[in-house]
Amino acid sequence: MEPSVTPSRASADSGEIVVVPHTHWDREWYLPFQRFRVGLVRVLDEVLDAMAADPAYRFTMDGQLAAVEDYLEIRPGRRDDVARFVAEGRLAVGPWLILADEFLCSGETLLRNLEYGMRGAAALGGAMPVGYLPDQFGHCAQMPQILSLAGLRLACLWRGVPAHVDRDTFDWTGADGTTIRTRYLPGGYGNASGLFAGPAERMPDRVAAFVRAAGDWATGDWATGGTLLAMYGADHSAPAREITASGLRVATLAEALTGLHGPGDGLPRAVGELRSHARANLLPGVISARVPLKQAMARAERLLTRYAEPMSALWLTDRSACGRLIDMAWRSVIACGGHDSVTGCGSDETAQQVAARIAEAGQTAQAVVDLVAASLAGAAPKDALVVVNPSPFERTGLVLADLPEDRASLADGRGRAVPVNVPVQRLEHAATLLDETVMDDLSLLLGRVHERELYGHEIVSWAAADGVFTVTVSRHASGAYAYEDLRRAVLDAGPGPWAVRTVAEPVVTVAALVTVPPLGRAVLTARPVAPAEPAPVPGALRTDPYGFEPVLDNGLLRVRVADDGTLSLRGADGVEVHGVGRIVHGGDAGDTYNHAPPPGDRLLDRPSRVTVEEICSGPLTGAYEITRGYDWPAGAGDAATVPAVVTTRVELRAGEPFARCEITMDVRCRDHRIRWHAPLPRAAAESYAEGQFAVVRRGLTAEGGGGERPIPTFPAESFAAAGGLAVLLDHVTEYEIIGDEISGAGTEMALTLVRSVGYLSRNRNPYRDEPAGPEVPTPAAQCQGPLTVRFAVLPYAGGWHDAGLPRLAEEFRHDLLAVPGAGGGGAAGTGRDGRLSIGGDGVVMTALRERDGRLEVRLVAEHPTATEAVVRGDFTAAWTADVQGSPLGPLEVSRDEGTSWRTVRVPLRPFEIATVHLAGA
C-alpha cells in the first residue's frame, strides 16, 4: 500500500531519527538484467521527479554507480538532472561501480571496482564518501585498507558482524592494521521500510516501535544526542515522495553519518574478515554454487591482470587499441562480480548471461595477449620459441612446444657465443596425414589453398606419381614457394581421378624446462638433436626403475599412488601424509545459498573399481591417470543409482614441490555435493586461506545465531593450508577443516568440487530459518555434464610463510607463455630481456599496467611480519599513489652500479597494499 504520512511532526523526539531514503538494486537476480532494468527506469524516474519537486528530498542510490549508468543509457536526457542533484548533495551515488561479492572476485577486482565507481561518480559531481556494503555475504579482511586507499574512512554494512559488537557503531581493523569507523545496520538495509506504511495517526506508534527495536544497538543514549539510522527502502522500489512532510530528518547516507568520525573510546572493535552468522544470515553456500562460474571468473581475472595489462604495458609501443579493449574487459569483469552474479544465486537465465559476459571479458583479454604475442613472434625467427614470464622474479618452468622431428631440440643463446641446450622431454607425435580426398578434377585443390596456407599449415612441396598428388606442409615453412608453380603442377597433372594427400612434416610435442628473467622473455631456437649428452635437469623426475610401484619423485616431493586411488606424499623435509584425494559423495537438500544435507544422508567414498595408467615418466614431467568408478544416488534420498567415473591426473614436474591434480568427471547426479578429502599430517586448530590481498587465519567453527546453521565452510582464492598440508587453487574454492569428534582437533581438509542444487532458494531449507529469495527452480544449478577441477597439493613443515605458499601459488596459477616465432629473425629475435623485477619476503605483485604514461605496480605484503619490497628496473623516479592514481609520496631511487637500472625499496607492514608509480623508463 502507499505510505501515508502527515505534515505534523511524528513525535516529540523524532529529530533523533535520521531517515535515509534509498533502494537496494540487484542488477540481476531472480530476473535477468534487462528485465530488472525496466523497473530501474521506473524507480529512478519517480525519484528524480520527486527531487525536482521537493528541494528537501534526498536519495541514496545503493552505493553503486552502475545502476545510475544503466538508467542513463535508457534516459540520456536526464543526465543533467542527475548531475545537478549529485552536485547539490541530495543524490548520493557511488563509490562502487557495483556491489560485489567480496570473496568471489580478486582483491585487484575490488580495487578496480572502486576506481571505476569513483571516477564515474566524479564525472557526475562526486562519489558518496562512505564505503556502503549493504547486502554482501560477509566482508573480506582487507576491506578497511581498500576503502582507506580510496580516501574512504567510513563504512556502513549489515551482514557478518560478530556477536561481541553490541553497538550500532564500531571500529573495524583490517588485516594490515588499518582501522575505519563502521556503522552497523540493525535489521538490515530496510530496517525502516515499514515506517511510513499505514494510517497517518499511527505514525508516532510506528516511530516508537522502531526506536524500541533499534535502541539497544545505538551508540550511547540516542535520545540525548545520538542518532538512529532509519533505512527507508527495500529491494527494487522507490520511497514515497511525501516523506519530507513527516517531521523526521531526511538525509543521504553520507549526511546521516556526518560526525561519525572521531575518538573511538569505548567502541567495540572487530578485527579482520566479517563472516559471523550471529547478527544476520551469511548465506555461505554461494561460494560453491555453480562452480563453473567461479572457474571462468578466475580465468578472466588472471588473463586481464597478469597477462593482458602487463604484456601490453611492457611490450607494445602503440597501446591505443589495447587500452580500449582492456577497459571493456574490466567493466565486464567488475559487473560480473556482483553479489547476485558470480555468486550463482540467481535464476538460470541470469547465470547464463553472467557466464557469457565473463567469457567475453576473458576473450577480450585474450585478444590483447594475442596482439602482444603476435608482436613478439614477429620479432623472432620462424624456428624460434618465445617464452614470456608473467612473474616479477626469474622463473624456471615447463612449456610445451611442437617441433619438427628433425629439429626436436631447443637452445638458449643467453648472449653466449655458443648456445646452451635446454632440457626437453618428448611427449607425443602429431599426426602426419592431415587429409586424403579423391578428386576427379584436381583443380579443386586450388580452391583450398590460400596463397601458401593449406589446412592451417604452410606448403613446403608437392609431387604427383601413380595417381597420387601429395602436398607436404609444415607449421612454419621455409624455402622458396610460388603459388603459380603449384597451379601449373596441378594443371599439368592431367585428368583424374587423383588421390590428394595432405601430409605434414613430422612434428613432435616436447616439454622444455626454460629459465626466463623477471617479466621478460627468452628466445629459444629449434635445432637438430645432438648425439652428445642431454642437457642436465635440476631436480629431475625419477620413477620406480622396476615398474613395480606407481611412484613419482623429483627430490622435493615423492608421490605414490595407492591401490584405492589415493596418494601418499612425502616432502623433502620429511613431512608425510597418506590417503590424499579420497572422493566423498553426499546429498544436498539445500539451495544456491545454503548447503543442507538431507535426512539420513549417507557419505559414500569407496570406489567400486580403480585403474592406474602411466602417462609419462620424466625426466621433466611424470604423470599417472587414476580412474575410479562409483555408484552414487541419482538424487538426494533416491534408491536408484547412476554409475560415475572420476578421473584424477596427478603430475609431478622437475623442480616443483607440489603435485598437480586435475580431476575430471561427468556430473550425472542431482542434489548432491562431491568433495575431495585429504588427511592432515598433524592435528590443526586453525586454517590459513589466501584471498583478496590477505592470508586469513580461521578457526574450525563458525559463530552462529543469525537464523542459519553456521557450517564452517570457507572461501580460499589461491591457497588453503592447515596442519602441514596445503592446496594451491586456480579459482575461489570452498574448503572445510573437519575436526575429530572426540578431540575436536582438525584432522582432514575437504575441498568442494561441485555442489548440485535445483532451487535458487527453498522456502524450507533445513539449515536456514527464512527464505533467502524466491523459490525459483534452477535446473542448470545442478551443474550436469563434464566438469574439470585443477589444483595442486603439498605437505610442508613450519608455517604457511615458511613454506613460501604465496610464491608457490604464483607459479602454479601463472604459466609461462610460449609463442612460436613467425618473423624473419634478426637481433630482435634473439634477445632475452625484462624491464622490471620485484623481490622481498612475501611480496606479491597483483597488477602491472601503463597509466597516464607511467608504469603502475600494485604490491601486497603477504607475510606475517614487516617486510620490504625491492623494485628494480629501467626508471628514474618513483612514488606511491592512491586508488585514483594521485601521488601520495616520493620514493628514494638509487642507481645500480654498472647498469642503467635503478632500485627503489618500499617498506611494508604485514599485509600492506602499496601502489607504486615508476616514471622515466
Side-chain angles (χ1 to χ4, degrees), residues 617-631:
S617 58
L620 302 185
T621 177
Y624 286 98
E625 188 167 274
I626 307 160
T627 302
R628 286 175 278 186
Y630 300 87
D631 293 301

Side-chain angles (χ1 to χ4, degrees), residues 167 171 181 219 262-269:
R167 307 279 186 96
D171 284 333
R181 187 62 47 80
T219 302
D265 295 343
L267 290 180
R269 179 182 299 271

Side-chain angles (χ1 to χ4, degrees), residues 378-516:
K382 287 187 176 182
D383 62 349
L385 185 72
V386 183
V387 182
V388 179
N389 179 5
S391 300
F393 50 83
E394 182 178 270
R395 279 180 60 183
T396 299
L398 224 59
V399 297
L400 300 183
D402 293 331
L403 302 177
E405 175 68 38
D406 60 350
R407 297 191 304 281
S409 177
L410 289 168
D412 184 353
R414 303 194 189 192
R416 298 182 177 92
V418 179
V420 175
N421 280 346
V422 170
V424 297
Q425 174 184 334
R426 292 180 174 230
L427 297 179
E428 61 183 7
H429 284 80
T432 56
L433 180 62
L434 301 183
D435 182 72
E436 184 170 7
T437 305
V438 177
M439 293 182 179
D440 292 324
D441 183 0
L442 190 57
S443 66
L444 294 175
L445 170 63
L446 298 175
R448 301 181 178 184
V449 177
H450 305 281
E451 188 51 35
R452 194 170 190 170
E453 183 270 332
L454 177 62
Y455 295 132
H457 292 63
E458 294 179 352
I459 295 174
V460 176
S461 62
W462 53 88
D466 300 325
V468 178
F469 195 93
T470 303
V471 182
T472 302
V473 297
S474 175
R475 301 278 175 92
H476 298 290
S478 58
Y481 168 83
Y483 176 80
E484 181 57 31
D485 293 342
L486 173 63
R487 191 183 73 86
R488 186 177 301 111
V490 166
L491 296 179
D492 291 347
W498 286 92
V500 180
R501 293 178 179 171
T502 304
V503 179
E505 288 186 331
V507 171
V508 61
T509 300
V510 303
L513 193 64
V514 187
T515 299
V516 194

Side-chain angles (χ1 to χ4, degrees), residues 844-859:
V844 176
M845 184 188 82
T846 67
L848 168 63
R849 61 171 164 166
E850 186 273 335
R851 190 172 191 181
D852 300 327
R854 54 189 179 270
L855 286 181
E856 179 181 272
V857 184
R858 190 105 60 213
L859 307 172

Side-chain angles (χ1 to χ4, degrees), residues 608-609 628-634 640-646 665-669:
S608 57
R609 62 183 179 85
R628 286 175 278 186
Y630 300 87
D631 293 301
W632 287 335
T641 62
V642 295
V645 175
V646 179
M665 70 184 81
D666 186 2
V667 180
R668 302 175 62 191
C669 304

